[in-house]
Amino acid sequence: MRKKFLFFTLLFYGIYAACMYVYIFHMGTGQIPASLKGSVADPAVFMSKHELLLSEEYSKIRNYLFFVVTPFEWIIYLFILIAGLSRLFEKWAISKAKSTVFRTAIYVFWLNFISYVLLLPIRYYSYHLSMEYGISNQKLFSWLKEGWIDFGVNYIMSAIVMATIYWLMQKSLKNWWLYTWLLSIPFTIFVMFVQPVVIDPLYNDFYPLQNKELETKILTLAEKANIPADHVYEVNMAEKTNAMNAYVTGIGNNSRIVLWDTTLNNLTDREILFIMAHEMGHYVEKHIYYGVAGYILLMLIGLFLTAKIMNWSVRHYGSVLRVKKVSNISSMPLFLLITSFLLFVSSPVSNIVSRYQEERADQYAIALTGDHEAAVSSFQKLTKAGLSEVNPPRLIKWFRYTHPPMLERIYTVYDKSQSSNEGNNK
């Protein structure tokens, strides 16, 4: 029964992977609308033929990896269950510790370790791909070190979270999901509060913007937006990547506006001011707080569905999965499989919200700076640096794009510029 179950799972995965390959490489072409060809939104205008070719190849490979790797993770969890590895990890944990908390911590280590090892070749291929296409210039040791840090941080977080969840399961098998959700609210806020000052510095060096003249311009813009800001932070990314980025992170007094040094090195002051005005738009419109609220709501729905699906799965397929009770820590791969699946299928909804917020931030930046030209040129340079797909196929946009595609962003700011000019001429 177990072999049959695993066989059909792998068969279905193979068919799915083949269908996604056909869609991404042969059907899902994001053509530029005829009305926009030759405009500032057309990548053929601001990218060379070689860059266009690289962008198309790189985007297709990355999109395909996204759609096949996530389900592959689910198969790993399924294999760990069906092969009896989960039961083995549980026995080791029980033999080493009496406390549920420490047993869970031991179990989580082995589960994370084997998952990390099995996924390492795919992670390395992604790293090699980014090097091959000139996106990354990170040294192998630096990449490995970052992976070890990832493993350590993820292990600590997972051990805390899973120990709490399985302790609650043993206390209340019926309502553990509700109690978990209630505890997740302060935990989520705490993690977001400490991330800029505790977690992020583990990966990169953050320091106040070194270009004081530019910092003065940014702080003047912040004052114009009624944002109380004393510093803009710069992060050293040039030794890792050629891509550019800026973002807002954290909440409360620990919130930060961060610029990658690659952004500083490749954009003009006007373009950087537009980018910073965009990030200020997120702050002014409280997108971080809405994001936290949305995450907490999705957590409630997700935990409720996870509890229902886990109960049903163990009740009907417990013998196949080698799980006797939901509250046994050997059920953890099932928990992770279900939650990962729910996150995957819900991502189009969360991405719609994110794209709306990014569009609002673009509008705010234009209103604050009035610099349509800098907006267009900054979007063009971001596209070239990241070899971004400016007009992805619909399915790719739904599942992958937290920002509006660059075709839409460039056209929107350019169209408003044209409308503004026509209004002024009248």
Side-chain angles (χ1 to χ4, degrees):
M1 180 64 178
R2 295 189 185 101
K3 290 182 179 179
K4 186 177 179 180
F5 192 87
L6 193 57
F7 171 78
F8 280 106
T9 298
L10 292 173
L11 178 64
F12 179 78
Y13 176 72
I15 294 171
Y16 161 80
C19 290
M20 290 307 305
Y21 180 87
V22 172
Y23 174 77
I24 291 173
F25 287 92
H26 299 287
M27 294 174 60
T29 56
Q31 296 294 329
I32 306 300
S35 60
L36 295 181
K37 287 187 176 180
S39 72
V40 294
D42 184 355
V45 171
F46 59 88
M47 296 175 74
S48 68
K49 289 184 179 180
H50 182 63
E51 287 171 333
L52 287 171
L53 179 63
L54 291 179
S55 172
E56 183 179 358
E57 290 178 351
Y58 184 61
S59 297
K60 285 182 176 180
I61 296 172
R62 287 183 69 233
N63 290 336
Y64 185 67
L65 283 176
F66 171 82
F67 280 100
V68 299
V69 169
T70 302
F72 181 69
E73 291 181 24
W74 306 340
I75 291 176
I76 289 176
Y77 291 136
L78 195 61
F79 172 78
I80 290 172
L81 286 166
I82 292 176
L85 290 176
S86 186
R87 288 281 294 275
L88 180 63
F89 296 157
E90 184 181 41
K91 288 179 181 178
W92 285 348
I94 291 173
S95 66
K96 298 295 182 182
K98 295 182 179 180
S99 166
T100 301
V101 172
F102 287 110
R103 286 177 180 176
T104 306
I106 294 170
Y107 178 93
V108 168
F109 174 82
W110 287 110
L111 181 61
N112 282 16
F113 178 75
I114 195 162
S115 299
Y116 179 83
V117 170
L118 291 174
L119 289 171
L120 186 59
I122 297 175
R123 292 194 183 100
Y124 177 76
Y125 176 72
S126 296
Y127 161 73
H128 174 74
L129 188 71
S130 64
M131 292 284 289
E132 184 180 354
Y133 281 85
I135 303 299
S136 174
N137 50 22
Q138 187 176 17
K139 302 297 183 183
L140 180 60
F141 178 77
S142 174
W143 178 78
L144 288 171
K145 179 184 175 182
E146 205 165 86
W148 299 331
I149 294 172
D150 267 341
F151 179 84
V153 171
N154 290 337
Y155 168 68
I156 292 171
M157 299 289 286
S158 298
I160 293 171
V161 170
M162 300 312 296
T164 303
I165 289 175
Y166 276 84
W167 179 78
L168 290 171
M169 281 183 180
Q170 293 182 0
K171 295 297 180 181
S172 176
L173 193 56
K174 183 179 179 181
N175 295 316
W176 67 267
W177 61 272
L178 180 59
Y179 300 140
T180 298
W181 176 73
L182 291 172
L183 286 175
S184 75
I185 297 174
F187 183 77
T188 299
I189 295 172
F190 172 75
V191 170
M192 292 198 69
F193 186 80
V194 302
Q195 180 177 333
V197 294
V198 177
I199 299 175
D200 289 349
L202 294 174
Y203 298 89
N204 301 104
D205 295 324
F206 291 79
Y207 37 83
L209 186 60
Q210 295 180 338
N211 186 335
K212 296 305 176 184
E213 183 180 348
L214 177 60
E215 185 178 46
T216 299
K217 293 178 182 178
I218 293 172
L219 293 178
T220 300
L221 196 66
E223 185 179 357
K224 184 178 176 182
N226 296 317
I227 297 175
D230 297 322
H231 295 291
V232 176
Y233 287 88
E234 178 181 344
V235 56
N236 179 20
M237 293 296 294
E239 62 184 21
K240 295 182 180 180
T241 181
N242 294 316
M244 295 182 282
N245 195 17
Y247 59 90
V248 178
T249 186
I251 57 174
N253 295 331
N254 278 9
S255 59
R256 288 181 175 181
I257 298 176
V258 179
L259 273 167
W260 286 11
D261 60 350
T262 50
T263 306
L264 294 166
N265 296 338
N266 292 285
L267 298 186
T268 66
D269 282 8
R270 286 173 56 196
E271 291 164 343
I272 290 171
L273 287 175
F274 172 79
I275 296 294
M276 297 313 297
H278 171 96
E279 300 306 327
M280 291 174 190
H282 287 304
Y283 181 92
V284 170
E285 299 210 353
K286 297 180 172 56
H287 289 162
I288 293 177
Y289 297 99
Y290 288 133
V292 172
Y295 176 80
I296 290 171
L297 177 60
L298 284 177
M299 182 79 75
L300 174 63
I301 298 171
L303 285 169
F304 171 76
L305 291 175
T306 299
K308 296 298 180 183
I309 297 171
M310 281 189 75
N311 287 333
W312 181 87
S313 299
V314 172
R315 192 163 57 246
H316 290 84
Y317 298 102
S319 59
V320 176
L321 301 174
R322 299 179 187 267
V323 177
K324 292 181 179 180
K325 295 189 338 184
V326 170
S327 59
N328 288 353
I329 55 175
S330 58
S331 72
M332 199 179 297
L334 179 62
F335 174 90
L336 295 173
L337 190 160
I338 294 169
T339 53
S340 176
F341 175 78
L342 292 175
L343 282 172
F344 182 78
V345 298
S346 66
S347 59
V349 176
S350 58
N351 285 346
I352 286 174
V353 175
S354 178
R355 287 196 297 271
Y356 171 75
Q357 291 180 340
E358 295 298 334
E359 184 181 346
R360 292 283 299 175
D362 282 347
Q363 293 171 1
Y364 182 87
I366 286 293
L368 186 62
T369 65
D371 198 340
H372 295 266
E373 184 180 330
V376 170
S377 59
S378 63
F379 287 152
Q380 290 175 338
K381 289 180 180 179
L382 287 168
T383 301
K384 291 181 67 173
L387 294 179
S388 303
E389 193 172 17
V390 298
N391 190 35
R394 187 171 299 176
L395 190 65
I396 306 300
K397 178 181 175 181
W398 287 349
F399 278 89
R400 295 213 65 198
Y401 276 62
T402 57
H403 291 60
M406 281 301 186
L407 184 76
E408 296 178 17
R409 299 181 78 179
I410 295 173
Y411 174 73
T412 299
V413 296
Y414 176 72
D415 185 54
K416 287 184 177 180
S417 173
Q418 296 297 101
S419 300
S420 176
N421 289 338
E422 289 175 8
N424 291 335
N425 291 333
K426 290 179 182 177

